[in-house]
Amino acid sequence: MTKLMILEFPDPRLRIKAAPVEHVDDKLRRLIDDMFETMYEAPGIGLAATQVDVHQRLLVTDVSSDRSAPHVLINPIILEKDGVAVTEEGCLSVPGYYEEVERANHIRVSFLDRDGESSELDVEGLLAVCIQHEIDHLDGKLFVDYLSEAKRGRIRKKLEKERRHQASAAL
Ligand code: GNR
Ligand code: NI
């Protein structure tokens, strides 16, 4: 298994719209295993393929505290949304920043599982919020896009400055 590099805002590759997965094969299953390892290691409760520079419609999530509820969603489609949930969101691609975002509290989603079989989930609360956050990644969207332009700009500047310091410290 391999821990993958996670792209960070404002990397333009986070804006690429992912294409549907065509074949659910062993190569894809290896990517899924690496994405779980990367997510658990981070640690995070979700990871979209876009964040590891793979532009295919695939996400993993586990919102449990003991890694007991892994889900893989390939080519996810939200069928129904209802209710409102306001959650303090974070993102492995926007490290260190947490802001409230409003999303649906309950969703029904269809997808292919790791065997390529069609499946559906009916979920609410944090898992529903996380799946919406990950599907946004697949569409090139980040949680900071829901904030004001001023707030997003401040976050971008601070992350760029931090990265410049990291780059010079590494020399
Ligand atoms: O680890 C994560 N926590 C989180 C908290 C609230 C709402 C969404 C998330 S997803 C995030 C991991 C991540 O960046 N996934 O794309
Ligand atoms: Ni994220």
Side-chain angles (χ1 to χ4, degrees):
M1 301 234 282
T2 314
K3 201 184 146 201
L4 305 167
M5 282 268 292
I6 297 177
L7 300 178
E8 293 185 1
F9 176 67
D11 193 308
R13 291 171 289 183
L14 288 168
R15 299 308 189 177
I16 298 172
K17 188 176 161 71
V21 169
E22 302 222 8
H23 303 286
V24 180
D25 52 16
D26 286 345
K27 183 165 180 264
L28 192 81
R29 281 184 282 271
R30 277 196 293 277
L31 171 64
I32 290 166
D33 291 342
D34 290 343
M35 285 175 60
F36 271 116
E37 186 185 0
T38 305
M39 176 187 81
Y40 286 131
E41 187 89 0
I45 61 170
L47 188 69
T50 305
Q51 292 176 278
V52 295
D53 203 19
V54 174
H55 302 284
Q56 299 188 49
R57 303 190 73 81
L58 158 69
L59 66 89
V60 298
T61 163
D62 186 343
V63 301
S64 73
S65 47
D66 56 358
R67 306 183 173 195
S68 61
H71 293 282
V72 185
L73 280 69
I74 300 166
N75 297 343
I77 296 173
I78 293 179
L79 304 172
E80 282 174 30
K81 292 189 190 200
D82 58 87
V84 175
V86 176
T87 310
E88 178 116 312
E89 294 199 13
C91 181
L92 296 171
S93 296
V94 190
Y97 295 88
Y98 303 88
E99 297 286 345
E100 284 189 343
V101 176
E102 188 177 307
R103 301 191 188 267
N105 183 53
H106 169 227
I107 62 169
R108 212 155 68 81
V109 61
S110 74
F111 58 92
L112 302 179
D113 66 18
R114 67 180 287 140
D115 300 314
E117 303 289 337
S118 295
S119 188
E120 280 186 21
L121 272 175
D122 195 309
V123 294
E124 60 178 21
L126 187 58
L127 180 54
V129 166
C130 185
I131 290 171
Q132 291 170 84
H133 173 117
E134 305 313 337
I135 291 176
D136 270 358
H137 276 301
L138 301 179
D139 291 323
K141 193 162 174 138
L142 298 169
F143 87 92
V144 293
D145 298 345
Y146 296 100
L147 310 177
S148 70
E149 196 171 323
K151 220 172 205 176
R152 184 168 53 257
R154 279 198 297 277
I155 293 173
R156 180 175 54 74
K157 279 206 166 64
K158 286 187 198 160
L159 282 172
E160 283 173 339
K161 185 172 174 188
E162 235 180 87
R163 215 150 298 133
R164 276 199 307 278
H165 283 288
Q166 284 168 4
S168 57
L171 288 178

